[in-house]
Amino acid sequence: QVQLEESGGGLVQAGGSLRLTCAVSGRTFSSYVMGWFRQAPGKEREFVSHITWSGGSTYYADSVKGRFTISRDNAKNTVYLQMNMLKPEDTAVYYCAVKRNVYINEYDYWGQGAQVTVSS
């Protein structure tokens, strides 16, 4: 069982920055993949980024590439999402999630979400 808790959301003006933190508790394995997703009002949840727990390999959605950076601190069992040059369309509830390895699509555990609001 893995528990995830996001923090760091808030209100920011367009062009600003925020850093989301996902605290991971419970047993983790080196094969795990940590992901960030977001869901805007009236829209489906969409993938933002992921990072492998062991090697730090990363992947980004085109909409955030070059603006967002995902990282992890294995010693602290924490995953971060640094969000720069924020746009109003980045407004959403952001969720962190974990899946067992890169070869499966479904994420097994999810956090409760953190609201990010970008004003124009």
Side-chain angles (χ1 to χ4, degrees), residues 14-27:
S17 298
L18 281 175
R19 188 177 78 161
L20 298 179
T21 298
C22 178
V24 183
S25 58
R27 189 172 184 182

Side-chain angles (χ1 to χ4, degrees), residues 2-79:
V2 176
Q3 294 81 41
L4 307 172
E5 184 171 2
E6 304 93 338
S7 61
L11 173 64
V12 65
Q13 287 189 332
S17 298
L18 281 175
R19 188 177 78 161
L20 298 179
T21 298
C22 178
V24 183
S25 58
R27 189 172 184 182
T28 58
F29 295 90
S30 60
S31 63
Y32 276 12
V33 177
M34 303 300 302
W36 284 99
F37 292 77
R38 65 186 182 186
Q39 187 166 21
K43 295 189 177 181
E44 292 187 355
R45 186 171 60 199
E46 64 173 355
F47 169 82
V48 174
S49 179
H50 80 218
I51 187 167
T52 57
W53 195 251
S54 59
S57 177
T58 60
Y59 186 78
Y60 297 92
D62 288 343
S63 58
V64 306
K65 203 173 293 182
R67 300 187 299 122
F68 290 11
T69 302
I70 192 171
S71 61
R72 89 264 189 256
D73 185 333
N74 289 10
K76 295 183 178 180
N77 268 13
T78 301
V79 178

Side-chain angles (χ1 to χ4, degrees), residues 58-104:
T58 60
Y59 186 78
Y60 297 92
D62 288 343
S63 58
V64 306
K65 203 173 293 182
R67 300 187 299 122
F68 290 11
T69 302
I70 192 171
S71 61
R72 89 264 189 256
D73 185 333
N74 289 10
K76 295 183 178 180
N77 268 13
T78 301
V79 178
Y80 305 98
L81 185 68
Q82 178 66 42
M83 305 183 292
N84 298 330
M85 295 182 288
L86 282 161
K87 305 174 181 180
E89 51 264 44
D90 293 318
T91 296
V93 177
Y94 283 71
Y95 300 89
C96 69
V98 61
K99 62 179 179 178
R100 284 165 286 166
N101 60 65
V102 297
Y103 304 110
I104 60 176

